């Protein structure tokens, strides 16, 4: 019987077979939580669901956002055309 090493992210329970990937995922979730807190403290009336979704989106795109802030804002337009992004819909 073989022994397989796996790493579990304690923030969301996701399992990884690579320690580096697990640490990168955990770091992204930590950034998302901090962004979520910033949004909730800065934008009055925003729902927790929406602030978490925005936090995860921005944390997941942190490399592109950093490049955009350093003088390449057009990179955000390329990311915006990505079909995997689900638009937020205002509650009516």
């Amino acid at each position: 019987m073989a022994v397989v090493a796996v790493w579990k992210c304690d923030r969301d329970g996701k399992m990884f077979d690579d320690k580096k990937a697990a640490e990168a995922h955990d770091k992204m979730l930590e950034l998302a939580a901090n962004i979520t807190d910033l949004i909730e403290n800065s934008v009055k009336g925003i729902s927790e669901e929406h602030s978490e979704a925005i936090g995860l989106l921005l944390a997941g795109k942190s490399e592109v956002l950093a490049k955009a802030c350093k003088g390449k804002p057009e990179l955000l337009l390329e990311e915006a055309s990505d079909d995997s992004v689900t638009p937020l819909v205002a509650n009516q």
Side-chain angles (χ1 to χ4, degrees):
M1 179 156 97
V3 175
V4 178
V6 294
W7 287 263
K8 181 179 178 181
C9 179
D10 62 350
R11 293 178 191 272
D12 67 356
K14 191 169 181 182
M15 302 292 283
F16 295 88
D17 58 359
D18 176 28
K19 182 179 180 182
K20 186 176 180 180
E23 289 175 348
H25 181 74
D26 186 62
K27 184 177 177 182
M28 187 273 301
L29 291 177
E30 181 179 6
L31 177 60
N34 291 342
I35 291 171
T36 298
D37 286 345
L38 174 68
I39 292 169
E40 287 175 349
N41 291 325
S42 302
V43 180
K44 302 298 179 207
I46 191 165
S47 72
E48 183 177 341
E49 179 184 353
H50 285 149
S51 62
E52 285 179 3
I54 294 167
L56 284 169
L57 172 68
L58 295 178
K61 305 288 185 180
S62 63
E63 290 180 18
V64 172
L65 285 169
K67 290 177 184 176
C69 290
K70 292 181 181 179
K72 296 188 178 206
E74 67 276 2
L75 294 176
L76 294 177
L77 297 176
E78 294 170 13
E79 287 293 316
S81 66
D82 184 2
D83 293 334
S84 67
V85 177
T86 303
L88 292 176
V89 178
N91 292 334
Q92 297 179 355

